[in-house]
Amino acid sequence: QVQLVESGGGLVQAGGSLRLSCAASGSIVSINVMGWYRQAPGKQRELVATITSSSITSSSRPNYADSVKGRFTISRDNTKNTVSLQMSSLKAEDTAVYYCYVHGVLTTTYYSGKDYWGKGTLVTVSS
């Protein structure tokens, strides 16, 4: 019963910035991987960024697609089970539906190794 709710999508001008947020709910204790994928019109869904947390090392490791490195920053708050994507220097090519992604969820009653997806939030970059 894990649910992901995205927010922050909208219309921005090229060169501008936008921040996406995603909140996971469902009696969650911890989450391994959180991130964002996107699907542009006429294109396949692709990885944008992920951030993996390790309870063993108490560290978080981000991973970015080459197309967004240096422009996007992913972060997470493990106390709130949220993940955010700060997007800067936006380009028209960034226009897409952005989907929140979660993998490896420990709840109060079970562990799930499934992938979970949000419904998506539309980001439109005008040029």
Side-chain angles (χ1 to χ4, degrees):
Q1 302 87 0
V2 175
Q3 295 186 153
L4 307 178
V5 179
E6 302 116 325
S7 62
L11 174 65
V12 297
Q13 191 173 18
S17 299
L18 201 64
R19 184 179 180 85
L20 304 181
S21 296
C22 173
S25 63
S27 300
I28 295 171
V29 176
S30 63
I31 300 172
N32 186 24
V33 182
M34 304 187 78
W36 296 89
Y37 284 69
R38 69 186 182 186
Q39 187 166 21
K43 304 294 183 180
Q44 292 184 304
R45 188 174 300 186
E46 65 177 1
L47 169 73
V48 178
T50 60
I51 182 164
T52 302
S53 292
S54 172
S55 60
I56 299 175
T57 62
S58 299
S59 62
S60 296
R61 178 178 59 82
N63 180 54
Y64 299 94
D66 288 341
S67 60
V68 306
K69 286 183 179 178
R71 299 189 299 119
F72 292 8
T73 301
I74 190 169
S75 61
R76 61 189 288 172
D77 186 339
N78 292 334
T79 65
K80 299 179 180 179
N81 294 314
T82 60
V83 61
S84 297
L85 185 69
Q86 179 63 50
M87 305 183 293
S88 300
S89 300
L90 284 163
K91 306 174 181 179
E93 304 88 85
D94 294 318
T95 295
V97 176
Y98 285 70
Y99 297 90
C100 182
Y101 166 80
V102 166
H103 174 80
V105 180
L106 175 65
T107 73
T108 55
T109 57
Y110 66 90
Y111 173 80
S112 175
K114 296 181 178 181
D115 294 335
Y116 294 91
W117 297 92
K119 292 185 177 295
T121 184
L122 178 63
V123 173
T124 302
V125 183
S126 63
S127 59

